[in-house]
Amino acid sequence: MAIEQNYFILFELPQQYQVDTALLSERYRALQKTLHPDRYAHKSEREQLQAVQASAHLNEALATLKSPLRRAAYLLSLKGVDTDVSHQTVSDGAFLMQQMMLREQLDDARHADDPFEALEELLEQLQGSEAELQQSLESQLQSDDPAVLSDALDNLRKLQFFDKLRHEIERVEDELDDL
Amino acid sequence: MAYSEEVLDHYENPRNVGKMDDKDQQVGTGMVGAPACGDVMRLQIKVSDEGVIEDAKFKTYGCGSAIASSSLVTEWVKGMTLDQAADLKNTQISEELALPPVKIHCSVLAEDAIKAAIADYRKKNG
């Protein structure tokens, strides 16, 4: 059995940044059933192996489309953009200055009179910036113009910094909860 | 993953953490970030009239290896000329700290940061 390679086609979803996650989960469960190992228990070893591989592909497809960041990177890769960021550095001064400031604010929030309120404010600020970036990313990802896609990749990278910051904020919240 | 003793030492006792006035004519500021891990690094140098780095400071929000890499660079560049500092390679940093392959990008970040600081100083004093 062959499994569809393109994640969007696999789940019969439009190839775009916005994804109906309820529908995604529903289609995932339906596909998962067809690949369940029990159904292949009496089949040949080759078919069992193929089912396992297809199942792994299906899980990878779900994880990719579920995460907005991974979904955006996947869309860019479908359009031929190299999204490997492992060896890239960002040098957009104004943006990095903002990131630095937000992290300093996070440090300060720890020692604020009401740390939870300070963290909440920081989170709101972060969500505002994220929403803006996501909005432009969404429209940029509809384009096939390399210049626009390169801007999309920039926005994706920026969103990765905000994602990290969100994790940091949540970590501090957990630490404070444990006190 | 286990950190090397060198990384732990710099991580637990980071050298030269701090901030200089980035408007100071003698100060060069380099800001870099790694999208892969969301690390942000600021590295600053203070340069004498003879073109020698007198002082260096850094602030890094990131993992232990990123902090250790930037801490090590600030130690190394003190007393160097700008040209010498510009020749620093990330491989020297990763070797000194015995960074594992998945953390090599932290040393790349530190190399990019010192290069950016030098470029900023030269631009100011061009």
Side-chain angles (χ1 to χ4, degrees):
Chain A
M1 59 155 302
I3 189 162
E4 168 58 43
Q5 288 302 305
N6 179 305
Y7 300 160
F8 289 98
I9 300 176
L10 176 65
F11 293 115
E12 295 173 68
L13 292 167
Q15 198 160 304
Q16 61 184 32
Y17 184 56
Q18 280 302 339
V19 158
D20 181 340
T21 48
L23 200 55
L24 173 64
S25 303
E26 197 181 297
R27 303 247 159 98
Y28 168 76
R29 282 193 297 271
L31 284 164
Q32 201 191 26
K33 260 188 214 160
T34 66
L35 294 171
H36 197 277
D38 287 351
R39 299 177 68 115
Y40 288 83
H42 306 292
K43 299 269 172 78
S44 72
E45 234 173 79
R46 186 162 165 273
E47 278 172 302
Q48 287 186 17
L49 180 68
Q50 278 178 338
V52 169
Q53 284 167 341
S55 194
H57 177 73
L58 181 65
N59 288 333
E60 179 64 16
L62 176 73
T64 304
L65 293 198
K66 248 193 170 173
S67 145
L69 289 178
R70 292 187 60 185
R71 192 192 311 142
Y74 181 63
L75 272 168
L76 281 169
S77 72
L78 287 178
K79 289 172 186 275
V81 177
D82 178 13
T83 57
D84 178 22
V85 293
S86 53
H87 289 286
Q88 286 172 345
T89 44
V90 164
S91 51
D92 176 342
F95 174 74
L96 289 168
M97 202 81 88
Q98 181 206 22
Q99 289 297 312
M100 209 63 164
M101 254 170 46
L102 287 168
R103 281 161 177 75
E104 278 163 1
Q105 266 176 280
L106 178 58
D107 274 349
D108 293 343
R110 255 181 241 259
H111 312 291
D113 292 337
D114 186 346
F116 287 103
E117 195 191 289
L119 289 175
E120 208 46 50
E121 271 173 36
L122 193 57
L123 209 52
E124 266 172 43
Q125 221 177 312
L126 175 143
Q127 280 159 348
S129 306
E130 267 188 331
E132 258 177 59
L133 286 170
Q134 277 163 345
Q135 221 172 4
S136 36
L137 184 60
E138 186 182 351
S139 67
Q140 284 159 345
L141 282 173
Q142 288 168 2
S143 168
D144 287 311
D145 178 352
V148 177
L149 292 176
S150 151
D151 288 343
L153 185 59
D154 267 349
N155 279 336
L156 173 59
R157 288 190 193 123
K158 288 179 179 176
L159 280 166
Q160 265 152 345
F161 283 95
F162 282 111
D163 193 53
K164 172 72 182 289
L165 180 63
R166 179 200 311 283
H167 286 303
E168 290 292 311
I169 294 174
E170 285 165 357
R171 199 171 56 84
V172 173
E173 268 177 344
D174 288 346
E175 272 173 29
L176 291 168
D177 276 334
D178 290 341
L179 286 182
Chain B
M1 181 197 61
Y3 281 126
S4 70
E5 263 175 50
E6 289 81 0
V7 171
L8 281 176
D9 181 33
H10 275 277
Y11 178 63
E12 283 165 3
N13 316 290
R15 282 49 143 192
N16 311 311
V17 173
K19 189 174 194 302
M20 297 179 193
D21 177 9
D22 51 17
K23 291 187 191 67
D24 185 335
Q25 197 68 21
Q26 277 185 285
V27 170
T29 303
M31 297 259 283
V32 288
C37 49
D39 289 357
V40 193
M41 188 180 287
R42 179 184 64 222
L43 202 149
Q44 294 179 299
I45 49 171
K46 187 168 191 169
V47 185
S48 74
D49 296 337
E50 291 76 37
V52 173
I53 298 173
E54 289 178 328
D55 198 8
K57 295 260 183 250
F58 83 95
K59 180 75 201 177
T60 295
Y61 290 95
C63 67
S65 300
I67 292 170
S69 295
S70 36
S71 170
L72 178 67
V73 166
T74 55
E75 269 205 324
W76 273 354
V77 297
K78 275 196 224 177
M80 281 188 182
T81 64
L82 289 177
D83 287 335
Q84 285 168 335
D87 273 345
L88 268 185
K89 292 279 171 295
N90 83 285
T91 45
Q92 293 166 270
I93 303 165
S94 56
E95 271 167 34
E96 174 75 15
L97 297 173
L99 295 180
V102 292
K103 291 291 176 182
I104 297 296
H105 70 272
C106 299
S107 63
V108 175
L109 201 58
E111 180 193 323
D112 289 347
I114 182 68
K115 291 208 157 70
I118 294 168
D120 179 58
Y121 174 82
R122 286 191 166 143
K123 204 171 113 193
K124 261 187 192 169
N125 294 275

